[in-house]
Amino acid sequence: MTSNVMVEARSVGKTVTTFEGALTILNQVSLRVTAGESVAIVGASGSGKSTLLGILAGLDLPTSGEVILNGHILTALDEEGRAKVRAENIGFIFQSFQLLPGLTAVENVVLPLELHGIKNSRKLATDFLGRVGLEKRLHHYPQQLSGGEQQRVAIARAFASQPRILFADEPTGNLDSATGARIIDLLFELNREQGTTLILITHEDRLAARCERRIELASGEIVSA
Amino acid sequence: MLALRLLWRNWRSGEVKLLAAALMLAVAVVSGIAVFTERLERTLVQESNMLLGADLIVRGSQPHNPEWSAQAAEQGIEQTTAVLFSSMVYAGDHMHLASVKAVAEGYPLRGQFDISTVPFASRPDQIIRASGIPAPGEVWVDSRLLPLLHLELGESLAVGDYELKVTQVIIREPDSASPFSFMGARVLMNMADLERTQVVQPGSRVQYQWLLAADNTALTAFAAWLEPQLSKHERLVDVESDQRGLGRTLETGRNFLLLAAVIGVLLAGVAIALAARQFSSHHVDQVALMKSFGVGAQRIRQLYLTQLLLLAVLASAAGLLVGELIQRIVAESLREVYQIVLGSASFYPYVISFASGLVCLIFFALPALWFLPGVPPLKILRRELKVNAAQLWLQIALAFAAVLLLIVLFSQNLSLALSVIAAISGVLLITAGLALGLLQLTRRITTNAGSIWRLALANLQRRREQTLVQIVVFATAIMLLLTLTIVRTSLIDEWQLQLPDDAPNHFLVNIPPHDVEAVQQMLDEKQLEREQLYPMVRGRLTAINGSEITDEQRAASGVFNREANLTWTDVLGDDNRIVAGQWWNSWQRKEEGIPGVSVEAELAQEAGLVIGDRLTFSLGGLILEAEIASFRSLDWRSMKPNFFFIFEPGALDNYSPTYITSLYLPLEQKSFINDLLRRYPTMLVIELDRIIDQIRTIVTQVSNGVLLVLWLTLAGGCLVLIAAVTSSIDSRKQESGLLRALGSPRRLMIGSVWVEFSLLGGLSGIIAVIGAEILLVSLQYWVLETPIRPHYLFWLIGPLAGALLVGALGAFSCRSVVNTPPAVVLREAS
């Protein structure tokens, strides 16, 4: 059963020091996400969602506790080691899309593939852009694309590396509701096709409702799972 | 190659263009100057070698060892020989102790003879450049020999036992300053005729010259090999040992150009640093994104370093091209205007220039980019996360290190580099202080000004760091331009200005006492401007207060090492001034038989002389003791006869003097020399006008080059401004969008941009003028020794030109801020 666990957090805590003293952002958070599962982490602003996502994805380290991702104990690795784990396992989708303004749509998708030394990266990128319906927008720059289109490029970029786990940080946060709905459909469709584990942060109920499981955070603690 | 692809994408998105342009400019400035300087230096050395007739001469009282010739030939060194001696030459009943030079084929190896069939020819159409040497049986002679011997061209001249036909007069010759040429007129003959003259016998006083020429490296090695083998009668002579003054001038000129180059590089460096900062701030997100993709810090560092190196190589190559173009344009203009053809440069300045591109990148750009790989991946999720960028002080320290390294690279002179650093720091601190003060002042003055001014000033104040950098940069560039414009005119014109139009341009030397009155009369009949005729006796200073001249005193001045011209007069020359002691009208001998002498003040200071010291002179073996009565300051540049030692009248009566004077001879009366020499054959005429012309050409040449470099420096300043504006463009756009969305008219935006940058330029201009005036006053006082004059026009031109240039440039750089509709601006900025 353990071999099926893709991400596991064991008693993860995160405390930061501020002018007013120590501030606990996460407290004793433990969770397990199995391969192929889709999980929504929900909660109010400041509940620690983004911090948890960062720690689960190995972008940040907890103050206490342990995170295991696809068998790698992230908390025992240095930054280079975590980068290697991310390269092999993880894809991201961000609220603000995070497309590089100087690169065209296809170049934005190609970049991580090139960085990982994947052959035929351009063809792969073109294919994925086709799958998100942007085959005619390959050579457009981000500023020439609408918000929805930009997020579709980001989705293509995330899936093109064929990650085992996809972390999405408020993927529809910057989109109107109709566009957001189309993006949600696309995300889940690709997720199903690729069999990716999906962990997303949202405060949108309809997005959370599409996930198999919902973990709710309040004041840095899991209040329902 | 991924790095190349990334670089191309960064280029396309415009993020590295500014960096590349600044790098290119730095390399262009360095290569333009380095290559041009080397060409100029080589040409000047070659020109001076023309004075020598070769790159290197072995002078001796015996012919050189023939085995050496074989060795030289083996190394591809050009060689020829000459024999110099004094000999009586005859034409009919007339004779003259001529300075004869017999030359072999190939002479001179450097430079040419200018010859003519018209004695004393001065018009270019009368003068031709000789393509060889006199044919056997022929001689070329100084013009003055013809009147001396009542000789015409085509007639015969006897040298020793051999009759030769005079076919040309020599107008200009290389190596005219060799020892035998001063007194006797030159007779140039073919070496093949030397034996037939029977003049050179064992024991004759003859100088054998072995002339060598080749490219520098071959000759330097050969000279090093040859020198230990020379006998004590042989001496190796090159331009440096022959003309120390010129060597020093070259060195000073080179250092001056080098400073201009360094300042150019420093300005470009500031632009590079600003562009790099901007690049890195744009790439923080990209690095965080790459890290979220799982790319490690090492790989990211390697990717960015490779991109930067590629950029440096490409930009440096482009810079080399631009530099080459610039120096070629200057060289070409020199060729057109002054008929000076520059030699080619070696590989070294190109290598140095290319390397300076890398140095700039490493020291100016890298510090701003070094932190990039350390950007935490979490930044991608949490934008508010702080990133540890490079400290400003570290960047400044590294910039100074770069300047230090570059100067050492150029001049191989650490103390020069350190003093430049100290000077630059001083100038920067003072300029920054002035800029801050002026900014405060402007704020006070404009407290009640309209909204355009308030907005502009608010912008300047808010970006105070950038504003300071820009003011310092522009002030420095404008200051240098203003200074050089004046110095350049000063060097050429003020020197000319000081010389009245009728300043003496000829010296008459060696006039016998019995001809003095007649010569005076002849000159006065022609109504020529002349100086008094000074009697002149050659003598050597041998002791001071009874003690022999010390080595330190010898080192202090050349006067102690050679015979000096001694004179006496009771009339003090116009340009002479008594600075200590008394002139003859109020001086009293302390001891009978010990006459008074007036000593030139600088010499006295160098040798540590005081009034009342006893000097001992040797005049052709006779000893004369004299007491110092006064010190005189004088102007050596006045082109009038001047003397280190002037005795009281009568003191030198027993030492058979000759007389000397100087006069102004207009070009159209040049043939008067002919009449003069025909009447007084033993007189010697030195033509200064030709020398003055040559000096003027060289000064113009060098200052033109420097001026061009300073324009490039100003271009560096412009790049800094563009870099600074570009780095603030996002926040400017946001502010402008906001203000316009709130209803501010477009006119306000445009106006405030113009005011902001014009003010910046105007303040730079004011500081520049203050700096330039200080520099100029120091230069005029200490170096040029010309009267100090304020330059009123500068006070208008400096600030005005600064305001216009910087204002226009700023408005141009900010055009996207004011021209983009507010909605677009706000959307982009968000």
Side-chain angles (χ1 to χ4, degrees), chain B residues 704-777:
Chain B
N704 271 349
V706 176
L707 202 63
L708 188 90
V709 168
L710 288 185
W711 280 110
L712 276 185
T713 309
L714 192 67
C718 294
L719 265 189
V720 172
L721 180 99
I722 296 173
V725 171
T726 321
S727 67
S728 65
I729 207 97
D730 290 344
S731 67
R732 280 175 190 278
K733 275 186 178 174
Q734 206 168 0
E735 288 156 20
S736 142
L738 209 61
L739 282 169
R740 286 176 67 192
L742 292 174
S744 303
R746 188 163 169 269
R747 168 168 53 80
L748 175 77
M749 300 288 109
I750 297 177
S752 77
V753 164
W754 269 98
V755 169
E756 178 186 342
F757 288 99
S758 304
L759 206 59
L760 202 146
L763 292 182
S764 313
I766 292 173
I767 296 172
V769 174
I770 297 173
E773 285 284 22
I774 295 174
L775 261 175
L776 283 170
V777 166

Side-chain angles (χ1 to χ4, degrees), chain A residues 94 96-100 108 157, chain B residues 285 289 379-380 383:
Chain A
F94 306 98
S96 52
F97 323 135
Q98 295 290 1
L99 299 181
L100 297 177
N108 263 294
R157 179 177 66 187
Chain B
D285 284 350
L289 186 69
K379 175 88 181 158
I380 200 77
R383 305 188 64 78

Side-chain angles (χ1 to χ4, degrees), chain B residues 89-109:
Chain B
V89 293
Y90 307 88
D93 295 337
H94 302 279
M95 58 185 165
H96 172 74
L97 184 64
S99 163
V100 185
K101 190 192 265 184
V103 295
E105 203 56 56
Y107 186 93
L109 297 177

Side-chain angles (χ1 to χ4, degrees), chain A residues 42 66 76 91 100 110 127 131 153 161 174:
Chain A
V42 295
E66 219 176 37
L100 297 177
V110 157
D127 286 350
R131 286 168 75 175
V153 175
S161 320
N174 272 0

Side-chain angles (χ1 to χ4, degrees), chain A residues 2 21 34 43 53 69 104 108 114 119 135 145-146 159 180 200 208 211 218-219:
Chain A
T2 345
T34 49
L53 185 86
L69 192 143
T104 60
N108 263 294
E114 282 178 336
K119 286 192 178 137
E135 56 277 87
L145 300 171
S146 69
F159 280 104
L200 60 82
C211 295
S219 304

Side-chain angles (χ1 to χ4, degrees), chain A residues 80 83 86 107 114-116, chain B residues 5 12 291 293 297 299:
Chain A
E80 287 290 310
R86 284 199 299 273
E107 284 167 350
E114 282 178 336
L115 287 168
H116 295 146
Chain B
R5 274 205 298 274
R12 208 186 45 198
K291 285 202 162 175
F293 294 155
R299 178 86 200 286

Side-chain angles (χ1 to χ4, degrees), chain B residues 39 101 105 140 203 271 308 336 345 408 528 553 634 643 730:
Chain B
R39 289 184 69 186
K101 190 192 265 184
E105 203 56 56
W140 299 346
L308 281 178
E336 272 174 21
V408 172
L528 293 170
Q553 283 164 333
L634 56 84
F643 300 87
D730 290 344

Side-chain angles (χ1 to χ4, degrees), chain A residues 51 53-54 59-60 79-80 83 86-87 92 94 98 100 102-103 107 111-112 114-116 141 157 169, chain B residues 2 5-6 9 12-13 286 289-299 303 377-378 380-383:
Chain A
T51 308
L53 185 86
L59 295 178
D60 196 8
E79 171 50 32
E80 287 290 310
R86 284 199 299 273
F92 283 101
F94 306 98
Q98 295 290 1
L100 297 177
L103 304 190
E107 284 167 350
L111 183 67
E114 282 178 336
L115 287 168
H116 295 146
Y141 287 94
R157 179 177 66 187
D169 177 23
Chain B
L2 183 57
R5 274 205 298 274
L6 292 177
R9 288 173 196 160
R12 208 186 45 198
S13 62
Q286 181 164 342
L289 186 69
M290 283 161 81
K291 285 202 162 175
S292 77
F293 294 155
V295 183
Q298 286 288 65
R299 178 86 200 286
L303 275 173
L378 192 63
I380 200 77
L381 287 179
R382 305 180 54 138
R383 305 188 64 78

